Amino acid sequence: MNIDHTILTLIVFTPLAGALLLALLPDRGRTMQWGALAVTLVTFALTLHLPVHYSYAARSAAFQFDQNIPWIASPSIHYHVGIDGLSMWLAVLTGLLAPLGVLISWRAIDTRKKLFYVLFLLQQVAMLGIFVSLDMVLYYAFWEMSLVPMTLLIATFGRTGNRRHAAIKYFLYAFIPSGLLLVAMLWIYAQTGTFDLPTLAALAAQNAISPNAAALWLASLALLLAFSVKVPVFPLHGWLVDAIEEAPTAAVMVLAGKTALYSILRFSFAIFPAQSHRIAPLMIALAAIGIVYGALLALVQSDLKKFAAYSTLGHLSFITLGIFTFTIAGLDGGIYQILNHGVSGGALFMLLGLLYERYGTYDMRLYGGVAQKLPWVVAMFVITTLSIIGLPMLNSFVGEFLILSGSMQSAFPHRHLVTALATTGVILSAAYMLGMIQRVFYCDLGPKPEKIAGWDLDAREHLALWPLVALFLVMGVASPLWMRAIDGAAVPMAGHPGAVEDPAIQATLQGHVLKIEDEAYPPIDAAPPAPPQPASGGAR
């Protein structure tokens, strides 16, 4: 066995080992910061093994770095991990943001540091586990695990007295729909006898999960609801503003979007392709409303955290629109925009945290004229703003262009109206982002900058921000470096599911098709004719 067989396990459990080590060390001086930084850098280095050794020529439906070990005999649960073009870059992004989160929290977290960094590393374990899990029970364990450290981070390290309320609100919004997700998973297992995602996707491709159309529809809604709440999709965003307002900077960088959008693509689209197409017009309409709603509310905010929260809602709605077009351009753009939002949104939250460190407020009305005092801070803000609004040559332009192209190419009704609304959201995002820059940095000197000298970026802050700024440009001009893997995952989702080439999955599929057809068409007086065999080849 070479490292390819165990790399995903090493990636997931290195932060766990680091969290256990930090829990045993004394909380003295900068021990926690240096320890967490070392662990996250090692984890990031391990994630870089994935794109370097990924086989871009492999067939698009194949999972790589696969590790499948029986765990529990009955019910059949496996420790099954693997990645494809959808999950690989999300794992790398998670690995990148973690050390940057540690650097940006270096001075901001000065009490209960051990608790903070242990919880932060556990959150990283959960997110990486979500991205690599191919067994639904294993995935569900990491999905539920992700709620606990985030809730505790918000409740313990929130900045106001509202932090516990925000934490409970976040937990309830995410946990209650997860109960429906668990029920749907158990129903799927009762129908198929497996929690294995590749096998379930193969069964779904042949309409062989269940003959009961109503039950399939309800199960698909249960999954979609659990994921949509955590994106969040409009109007299920009630937790978002409070959570972003209270969460510390390192936590808020990974709070919204990535895991839930990935889960829709990975599980809803794979297990319930027909049902996902059926509900797509509704999801597209909600996404279009969310784009404009988030942008309009961001325009009138005076609190920078609320401003960022509604901006996040608008951008996540844009991604939702792209993936539910079920076009290659829309899916490519949606998946790429998840990465862009992680990079650009992460940079924005980092900068807002740095501004708060210097002036102790998120109220835009108390700022003004900051550009005179903090030239490097304003430079970073302006570059990040240009990235977020989709300036050509920067990263978000690629994703937004593909999403709008996919929206126009989609087969769903009113696509021209939806595309026009989404384009309006792009214009409004430029308005509120540039308006924020004007109010905070270029107006007359405000009360806070007048009384507090502040300080410009130090070496640690430069080190945290420049990798993201470099990615803005590289992802804008060299997007094929990412797209060659992403496109391999997007093409099967955009097309009609076909037969699966894996012989082991074919055998499971054939037996299950026979079982489903026997249940749906029981013999009356004579033996029924042999059911048709699934196709032996073809692309999904």
Side-chain angles (χ1 to χ4, degrees), residues 385-398 400 426 429:
T385 294
L386 295 177
S387 167
I388 290 173
I389 66 178
L391 184 76
M393 300 287 287
L394 297 181
N395 55 333
S396 293
F397 174 77
V398 178
E400 289 178 355
V426 174
S429 73

Side-chain angles (χ1 to χ4, degrees), residues 5 51 56 109 112 132 137 165 194 202 274-275 302 312-313 319 347-348 403 444 450 464 514:
H5 295 90
Y56 296 93
I109 304 298
R112 310 183 75 177
V132 305
V137 172
H165 170 76
T194 183
Q275 291 74 21
S302 58
T312 297
L313 175 63
I319 297 169
L348 176 62
I403 289 172
D444 294 334
E450 189 174 17
L514 292 170

Side-chain angles (χ1 to χ4, degrees), residues 267-278:
F267 293 94
S268 291
F269 287 6
I271 302 175
F272 300 106
Q275 291 74 21
S276 298
H277 279 77
R278 180 179 171 186

Side-chain angles (χ1 to χ4, degrees), residues 286-298:
L286 293 177
I289 295 170
I291 291 168
V292 178
Y293 174 84
L296 290 175
L297 284 178

Side-chain angles (χ1 to χ4, degrees), residues 397-409:
F397 174 77
V398 178
E400 289 178 355
F401 178 82
L402 288 171
I403 289 172
L404 292 173
S405 299
S407 178
M408 285 298 293
Q409 296 167 16

